[in-house]
Each structure stands twice: as C-alpha cells, then as structure tokens.
Amino acid sequence: MRYVIIGTSAAGLAAAETIRQRDRQGGITLISDEPHLPYSRPLLTYLLGREVDAEKIFLKSHDYFDRWGFEPRLGAPVLKVKPESREVHLEGGETVLYDKLLIASGASPRLLGIPGEDLAGVYTLRNLADVENLEKGLPPGGSVAIVGAGAVGLKAAEALIRRGNRVTLLEAESRPLPHLLDQTAAGLLHQVLTSLGVESHFGVRPVGLMEKKGRLNGLLLDNDNTVTADAVIIAVGVRPRNEFLAGTGLDRPEGIPVSPFMETGHRHIFAAGDCACAPHFLTGEPAAYRIWPAAVAQGEIAGANMTGAGRRYDGILPRNSISLKGVKIIAGGLLEPDGKDGEVFNELDRSRGHYRRLVFQNGCLVGVTLAGPKAADAGIYFQIMARKVPVKDLPVDIRSAAFHPGKLWA
Amino acid sequence: MKTVIVRPERCVGCWQCRLACAVEHSRAKNLVGALFEEIKPKPRLRLYPGRLHWAFPNKCRHCDPAPCQAVCIAGAISKDPVRGTTDIDPARCINCAMCAMACPFGVLTYAATFAAPERRAVALKCDQCPDREAAGRLPACVEACKVGALTYGEVEDAQVDKGRALAQAVFASYQAAAEAVPGLPETISLWRKLT
Ligand SMILES: Cc1cc2nc3c(=O)[nH]c(=O)nc-3n(C[C@H](O)[C@H](O)[C@H](O)COP(=O)(O)OP(=O)(O)OC[C@H]3O[C@@H](n4cnc5c(N)ncnc54)[C@H](O)[C@@H]3O)c2cc1C
C-alpha cells in the first residue's frame, strides 16, 4: 500500500503516525513545500517575541522520519493532483503515485484586497519563513499596525510589545475575538491589551496602504483617519490551501468538503485539518473554524480510515485558549443560544478577574467562557458539552458558584 | 505499570497529600527548605469539598491516549513509554492553557516552578514522583495518606477492582472508549462513568 500525505504539520503527521501504528509495511510519503523539519505554527508568535528559542519550535527529533519509516519530501511543492491516475505532481516534474492520498495542506493568510498590499513592510504570519522575513524587515523599536484582533493578531501584538515595538491593533468588529467572546470577556481581554501597551481601534477597516519611497509608511482607514506605521501585519483569517486541486472539484473556497469519515468525493482521497471543511460538532453546519486540536483529531481519523478503520468524526467543537500576559481566557461552543429555548448564565467578579459564562440550549450546555484562575477547569465544561445531555441530569447544578469537578464524582 | 489509585470515598480532607506533594516538588525536597524557597513549590493535586464525602482528591490520571498531549501546541507533553506517565516538559511549556481546555478532569495548575525559573508560569500536574520511583519509594502523596484514599498499585489490578477505585475506573473506561472511537465522542462514555 502506498500512502501519500500532502502536508507535514498537525493533521499530516497525526495521520502518518496513525497509519504506521496500524500498517507496519505500507510506504508512507510525506510531502511539504516547506524545507524545515515539522514545527509548531502556534509557536511562531512566541518565536517572534523571543519567548521560545528557535530549536524549541521543532516538534520532532532529527531521526523522526527514519524512526517511523516515513519517506519525507520536504521543500517539494505539489502543483497538481490527478485523481483518475492517482498521481501527485511535484514542482520540477516528478510524479508520485498513491493508493491512498491525504490532503492536509492547511491554509494561508487572507489579504485585504486593498491597494498597497504588495509594498515592502507588509507582512502575514503563518510560516517560519514569515517570521524570518519579519526578523529581517522589522525596524527595531518601530511602530507596527496589526490588522485583525483574532487569535493570531492578538498573539502577534504581545510578541511585538515584547520586542519593544509600538503596536496599533485595528479590528473591523466592535471587540477583540468577536466570534469567540461576548462583550464582557472581550472587555477583560481589551484591558489586558491596554495594560500591555497596545493601542486598539475597533470598528475600523483599512481601505489603503500608504507608501513612502517604495515602503509602507501608514494605513488609511474607512473613517478617513490615518495610522502611521513602519510595518503592518495582516491577520484577518485564512483561506484553505487548495490551489493545486484545480480541476478536481475539491478546491472550494470554504475548504475541501469531507464526509464524517474524512473522505472527499474522490475515492482514495481524504482531507483533514485547516484545508478541510468539517461540520460543527453542535450544529452540524459546515464550521469554518481552524485550530490545532481539530487538525490533530481529523488527521488521526483520516489516517485510521486510510487503513480501513471506518472511524467517524463528530465535528469540530470551536474553542480556543487565549493567554495574554499570563491572563487566561478559554472559550468555546456557541457564543449565543440559537433558539428561544436558550439561556445565558453570567458570573463576574472584576476584582479577581474572574468571569464565567455558560450558554444553554434546550437544557444542554452549548457554550462556555472562563476567564481568570478558573479557566483551568475548562476541560470539564467541554466534556459536559460533548455529552449533549441535559444539565439537569448532572448530580450538581453547574451554574452554582460552588461548582467544581469534585461535585461530579462524589 | 504502577499508578496512584484514588479512592475518594476514603478521603477525610486532611491535606497531608498536598503538603507532601509540594515538598516533593520543591528544590530542597524537605519541608523546612521548601518553606524558604524563592519560587514557592505548588502541590500537583487538588482537594475539593465533595458532594457526598468530606473531600475529593483530584489529580492527573495519566490517560492513554492523553487528550492534553493531542492539543499541546508546544510539543511539551509526552507519554513515558516505560513509566506510562503523561509528562510535561517545563522548559517547553508556554503557559497557553490548551491542556486545561482538553483535560477532562481539570487537574492542571499554572504557576512558576524552580525547574523552569525563566518562565513566569508553566502547566503543573502530577508527575508521579519520578525521583522517588527511581529510588524504590512510594509517590509522596501515597506515603502521606494515612486513610487509604491514595494507594499505589498495578493498573491492571485496579482495573479489575473498578467498584472500589472510582477514579481508576474512570481511567480504565477512558482507555477502553479510546479504543472504540477516536476524537470527541470517546469522552462521552467517560462522563457516563463519571457521574
Ligand atoms: C501564528 C499562529 C498561531 C496559532 N495559534 C494557535 C493556537 O494557539 N491554538 C490553536 O489551536 N491553533 C493555533 N493556530 C492554528 C494552527 O496552527 C492550525 O490550525 C494548524 O497548524 C493546522 O494544521 P494543518 O496540519 O491542518 O495545516 P498547516 O499547519 O497549515 O500545515 C499545512 C502543511 O501543508 C503544506 N502544504 C500546503 N500546500 C502545499 C503544496 N501545494 N505542496 C506541498 N506542501 C503543501 C504546508 O507547507 C504545511 O506543511 C495558530 C496559527 C498561527 C499561524
């Protein structure tokens, strides 16, 4: 059996290891256009902020591919996939044949589509090469504008403050992490940002990038204000990487459609991770939510199914953990109940920085936000959510201020 | 493989396990020394007031596969193939709390440790006292427990004796469920056993 995997990151490696555990003999080829050993994308902002050393971002040892019996093809961009002849075409003309193919090609940053995005001084942050470019191009102590107060934008802001840059954060919505946090939690986060020294502007969109001598020197906003900046990082989300799938019908803008078994519409082709469009765990609707844990889980299932396991994926439970300046906010599930049988419970203690918000729908827990020290209990709430059972069946009322894990077990 | 078995129904909430755990995870590894350390050592197990019992001891179950390991974005969590423990490398941990998002037991604490003095806080949890194990001694919490709420034994024995060892039964059910279905749903059956 010849297994071929495009992508050597969270989803691709989880799949490869799962395949190897179930099939000792089969050939497993791992292809990536990046030349590096597998590394952690989420650590890139920590690398930028000099919080972790360069060698710590690598997730696997030097003999990793050998030990697992994988055939790596690093620095080899895939140009085309031909499902009829089961071929993967690499740059330089080489063709790799497969019996089972996994597409785990991740995503790439979206741009704004405004004039000036090709100027020197305009950056995105997704790959190790992007950090290398920033290292080279960022003026020490200079001012940087970050467009987008999502997870990447926020972590980038913290990193740049650590480097001694002045940071202006621009967000089109009215608050940071608008899809994950409510007003109150976002307010707590905003406080942390301010205490870091980040200047934030909400409800504004850049409409153009200004240049001086061929370099970026500022942004023009839709409210006619300008922001001067020596550099700009565009962090407004990602789009699935699927340009090499043109002609297969899989190159959909929302991601590669997959069955609950992570199969695509083509026999023998599977997809997992940021490039795929899996359903939301709670609503069953396509969920454009791209996180490391989901990529690992999908990779494991795709890998197992490529060896014939027949495992089912029940969907992405959107959730994330934001830790800024040591302050932790963990949130996930639905932000608001989506029907009239919904209910939202809040518990706020500003003096202790504690916030707990629970969202219920038809008696089940469907959303949670925890800020402050109690964020460490988040996993318990997500387990309750994953059960999809009415909370009245639990031995304690999870709304009670005295709720803690012991109450569930005793 | 031996592990710490929790029998919450026996716990009287005397806190000796927490004290012993904090001391074991100090630089000095003795009470007097631990008290004066610059970075205050933290216990890696918690005691909650229970619903039916006086107290509920809660600690890492060293799940296999470990959900915290699957979500760790820093490559800081690994399984020790010999000891069977789930270990966190404080030198790699970035205090992002992804593990807290995944841990079905809520056992993680974030605080400074002498083992990574350059970090403001890292994820801390039970490591099942490797130094003690190497010296043929019991884990600190087990040694300190005088009421049989924390004992040290073979995983297999404990699995057979599910009724007595509630926490271990939870651990066992997690493993069994993980075999059947991967991903989120496996934890559903876990919680059925829990409650
Ligand atoms: C700065 C940053 C911070 C983040 N922080 C978090 C966080 O805290 N928590 C969290 O859950 N998630 C975080 N994420 C998101 C997380 O990194 C992604 O969800 C995860 O990496 C997805 O993994 P993947 O395997 O699907 O794809 P990717 O990691 O994108 O990997 C795709 C792979 O495919 C290769 N590839 C793509 N196209 C081709 C081609 N044509 N030819 C050859 N190779 C190709 C790429 O080179 C790469 O190796 C962060 C992301 C970034 C950028």
Side-chain angles (χ1 to χ4, degrees):
Chain A
M1 189 62 95
R2 286 164 305 178
Y3 304 95
V4 174
I5 298 175
I6 303 174
T8 57
S9 186
L13 296 184
E17 292 178 14
T18 308
I19 293 170
R20 181 52 82 226
Q21 280 157 1
R22 302 175 54 91
D23 181 347
R24 302 257 150 218
Q25 307 299 323
I28 304 176
T29 304
L30 288 169
I31 307 174
S32 173
D33 57 355
E34 292 186 85
H36 319 283
L37 282 170
Y39 64 89
S40 167
R41 235 166 264 297
L43 284 187
L44 291 177
T45 61
Y46 293 81
L47 178 65
L48 185 66
R50 298 171 180 150
E51 232 180 310
V52 302
D53 307 330
E55 86 268 9
K56 290 234 173 67
I57 72 160
F58 295 101
L59 295 172
K60 307 291 179 187
S61 59
H62 280 280
D63 59 352
Y64 171 74
F65 294 110
D66 279 349
R67 255 186 323 116
W68 282 84
F70 298 153
E71 217 175 291
R73 301 301 313 269
L74 304 180
V78 171
L79 298 184
K80 198 163 184 54
V81 170
K82 285 197 169 157
E84 325 75 53
S85 46
R86 294 201 212 156
E87 290 173 353
V88 173
H89 291 238
L90 304 184
E91 192 178 272
E94 193 188 337
T95 301
V96 180
L97 297 172
Y98 64 84
D99 294 316
K100 302 279 174 196
L101 174 68
L102 174 66
I103 302 166
S105 52
S108 52
R110 279 196 287 126
L111 292 176
L112 295 160
I114 59 174
E117 282 183 298
D118 51 350
L119 287 171
V122 180
Y123 300 92
T124 55
L125 184 49
R126 177 78 191 181
N127 298 323
L128 189 47
D130 296 330
V131 175
E132 288 161 0
N133 288 339
L134 279 159
E135 277 292 346
K136 270 185 251 143
L138 269 187
S143 57
V144 183
I146 298 174
V147 184
V152 173
L154 293 169
K155 295 304 288 184
E158 186 185 32
L160 292 171
I161 291 284
R162 282 180 66 98
R163 289 176 68 103
N165 291 101
R166 275 169 296 133
V167 179
T168 308
L169 186 62
L170 305 168
E171 165 61 48
E173 304 281 333
S174 62
R175 56 181 194 268
L177 287 173
H179 306 295
L180 195 66
L181 302 182
D182 74 326
Q183 284 290 352
T184 310
L188 293 171
L189 188 63
H190 190 182
Q191 274 175 21
V192 182
L193 280 172
T194 308
S195 73
L196 273 168
V198 176
E199 188 186 320
S200 319
H201 299 280
F202 297 101
V204 289
R205 283 168 206 275
V207 289
L209 301 178
M210 305 180 302
E211 75 153 290
K212 191 176 173 187
K213 295 188 191 134
R215 260 196 81 86
L216 171 106
N217 88 329
L219 299 86
L220 179 64
L221 306 181
D222 59 352
N223 61 5
D224 290 338
N225 287 347
T226 56
V227 174
T228 54
D230 302 315
V232 58
I233 298 179
I234 298 172
V236 293
V238 293
R239 68 152 56 93
R241 275 196 73 180
N242 51 22
E243 60 286 351
F244 58 95
L245 294 171
T248 63
L250 301 178
D251 57 335
R252 303 256 278 271
E254 69 279 11
I256 302 166
V258 286
S259 76
F261 300 94
M262 308 313 295
E263 306 154 308
T264 68
H266 287 283
R267 285 191 66 200
H268 313 299
I269 304 184
F270 296 71
D274 281 8
C275 66
C277 184
H280 193 295
F281 176 75
L282 294 169
T283 66
E285 304 288 320
Y289 204 80
R290 310 185 194 279
I291 44 172
W292 187 270
V296 172
Q298 292 172 21
E300 282 174 3
I301 289 175
N305 291 345
M306 288 162 78
T307 67
R311 286 188 184 169
R312 226 187 138 80
Y313 182 61
D314 281 76
I316 294 185
L317 183 56
R319 49 185 178 153
N320 218 334
S321 168
I322 298 296
S323 178
L324 275 188
K325 219 185 154 190
V327 177
K328 298 184 174 64
I329 302 181
I330 300 182
L334 304 179
L335 188 50
E336 301 295 341
D338 65 354
K340 48 184 186 315
D341 294 320
E343 185 201 328
V344 178
F345 165 87
N346 286 295
E347 181 185 272
L348 176 67
D349 180 346
R350 281 198 190 276
S351 62
R352 290 190 303 135
H354 163 76
Y355 183 51
R356 193 163 66 114
R357 181 177 187 269
L358 305 175
V359 183
F360 299 95
Q361 180 77 54
N362 302 325
C364 298
L365 180 68
V366 294
V368 63
T369 304
L370 296 170
K374 288 248 170 96
D377 289 343
I380 292 161
Y381 293 90
F382 285 114
Q383 296 307 312
I384 294 171
M385 212 185 284
R387 286 185 65 186
K388 293 185 178 172
V389 297
V391 287
K392 67 172 171 35
D393 293 349
L394 296 173
V396 282
D397 183 357
I398 63 170
R399 275 162 268 226
S400 113
F403 171 76
H404 60 71
K407 301 265 182 189
L408 289 166
W409 278 298
Chain B
M1 261 182 245
K2 286 191 159 188
T3 188
V4 177
I5 300 159
V6 186
R7 294 187 178 86
E9 70 277 12
R10 290 180 167 230
C11 177
V12 294
C14 72
W15 283 57
Q16 291 295 325
C17 53
R18 277 178 55 93
L19 184 65
C21 181
V23 169
E24 177 63 22
H25 294 96
S26 68
R27 188 194 287 275
K29 289 197 192 257
N30 67 62
L31 181 58
V32 180
L35 283 174
F36 295 102
E37 280 174 22
E38 202 169 321
I39 299 177
K40 247 183 93 197
K42 286 274 185 310
R44 279 107 188 275
L45 82 175
R46 297 183 183 183
L47 279 180
Y48 305 99
R51 190 167 57 97
L52 302 174
H53 307 288
W54 216 89
F56 184 87
N58 191 18
K59 61 176 281 299
C60 173
R61 268 46 169 204
H62 300 284
C63 308
D64 187 13
C68 57
Q69 182 188 11
V71 302
C72 180
I73 55 175
I77 304 184
S78 57
K79 288 299 292 181
D80 184 319
V82 179
R83 300 181 67 227
T85 48
T86 304
D87 300 330
I88 303 182
D89 178 355
R92 288 192 82 117
C93 176
I94 51 164
N95 189 29
C96 72
M98 291 291 279
C99 47
M101 197 173 84
C103 175
F105 301 99
V107 300
L108 289 140
T109 309
Y110 298 86
T113 167
F114 79 90
E118 71 287 359
R119 307 232 171 249
R120 176 166 43 197
V122 296
L124 301 176
K125 62 163 198 69
C126 168
D127 58 4
Q128 218 160 281
C129 298
D131 296 349
R132 285 175 157 261
E133 189 179 295
R137 297 169 67 200
L138 289 172
C141 58
V142 173
E143 196 177 85
C145 183
K146 303 293 183 282
V147 295
L150 299 168
T151 55
Y152 190 56
E154 284 296 329
V155 180
E156 284 78 11
D157 298 352
Q159 280 173 336
V160 177
D161 212 356
K162 274 185 197 174
R164 256 189 326 134
L166 178 65
Q168 197 56 46
V170 166
F171 173 49
S173 73
Y174 187 84
Q175 278 193 317
E179 285 287 294
V181 256
L184 261 177
E186 71 208 21
T187 53
I188 297 173
S189 61
L190 160 72
W191 273 86
R192 290 211 178 102
K193 294 265 168 53
L194 281 183
T195 51

